[in-house]
Each structure stands twice: as structure tokens, then as C-alpha cells.
Amino acid sequence: MEITEVRVSLRESEGKRLKAYATITFDNSFVVRNIKVIEGNSGLFVAMPARKLKQFCPRCGKKVDVGSQHCSHCGVQLPPAPRGMEENRQATHQDLAHPINQEFRDYLQAKVLDAYQQEKKSPTKREYKEEPKAEETA
């Protein structure tokens, strides 16, 4: 499998760890969006797209995030999360797509970080800016 395109959208602002979002195309056939470039304590790394895990509220039965203290629908206090779950992101989030071996993970990370560095050096650097709302432009 080959990475045929990497698009990077910079999100840099002072003090923020999130530096960019990337979109990767594999073999000109398959796209994965929302890959994050994050500044960690030991340098830049790539985080795959993930979603928060859900659990069901024991009172109303609605879905709530794992680790929440209260139900966002009925307000009932939820049972405490198991110890260490709050600090362990892997316990509350699940990758939507990810490499299954270290060799491909290294290849993917190198391609994304190279594209990120090129985008930062680009004279036409395109940083994300929120579009003005329709009522603000009128």
C-alpha cells in the first residue's frame, strides 16, 4: 500500500499542542481524514482519527461519554470510572483507522510530518481561519 497524497491544514496558535490536520490518500483509492499532528513532550507525532467511547445511562438509557460524571440528558450521577481511566486516553477513545504494524506506522508518520514541514515552509502557507458568519458579512 502506498500513500499517494498527503494534504495538511495548519492549525498553529501559541500554546496549543494541535499543530495541523492531515488527510491521506492511499493508492489513489482510499482517504482517511482528521489525522492530527500534535506537539508532544518529545516532539511531533501523528494521532489517528478517534472517537470517544460511549456508555448507557442507567436511568434514562441515553448514550453518554465513558468517564462522564453526570448524564448529559437526565443529570443523574454516573458510577465513577475505573481507576486510571481518566488519565488513560486509550480507555476513553477508540481509533477509527490505524496502521497494524510498526513499519507502516513509521512510514505514515514520516510522510505526514514531511508534508507538515513543507506546508510550514510554503510561502503560500494556508492557516485555518474560521469563515465569517453570513450575518457578520452582511
Side-chain angles (χ1 to χ4, degrees):
M1 180 176 291
E2 184 180 337
I3 295 174
T4 51
E5 184 179 27
V6 179
R7 292 184 182 183
V8 173
S9 177
L10 299 176
R11 297 289 196 272
E12 296 190 65
S13 46
E14 294 249 346
K16 300 285 183 177
R17 289 181 171 247
L18 176 63
K19 300 300 181 188
Y21 282 103
T23 299
I24 297 178
T25 304
F26 297 94
D27 294 335
N28 291 316
S29 303
F30 189 79
V31 174
V32 177
R33 299 179 195 275
N34 295 325
I35 296 170
K36 296 175 187 171
V37 176
I38 298 174
E39 178 78 50
N41 293 333
S42 352
L44 291 172
F45 69 93
V46 172
M48 298 305 292
R51 66 179 171 94
K52 279 188 167 184
L53 295 177
K54 302 284 184 181
Q55 67 183 7
F56 292 98
C57 171
R59 179 196 259 173
C60 69
K62 302 279 185 170
K63 284 185 178 179
V64 295
D65 293 337
V66 169
S68 297
Q69 294 182 350
H70 295 87
C71 175
S72 57
H73 302 281
C74 69
V76 70
Q77 185 172 1
L78 298 171
R83 280 190 157 184
M85 188 174 220
E86 290 298 318
E87 296 87 31
N88 186 358
R89 186 180 185 279
Q90 291 181 340
T92 58
H93 290 76
Q94 182 178 39
D95 285 347
L96 297 174
H98 60 88
I100 57 172
N101 62 48
Q102 189 63 43
E103 180 183 357
F104 197 79
R105 178 175 291 279
D106 293 342
Y107 169 66
L108 186 145
Q109 181 156 306
K111 293 285 269 188
V112 170
L113 293 181
D114 284 350
Y116 168 73
Q117 296 298 344
Q118 287 177 3
E119 186 69 21
K120 276 185 70 174
K121 292 178 188 170
S122 170
T124 59
K125 191 163 83 172
R126 293 167 283 164
E127 290 197 37
Y128 171 77
K129 293 182 180 170
E130 285 193 31
E131 296 288 325
K133 294 180 182 172
E135 56 199 44
E136 293 175 357
T137 57

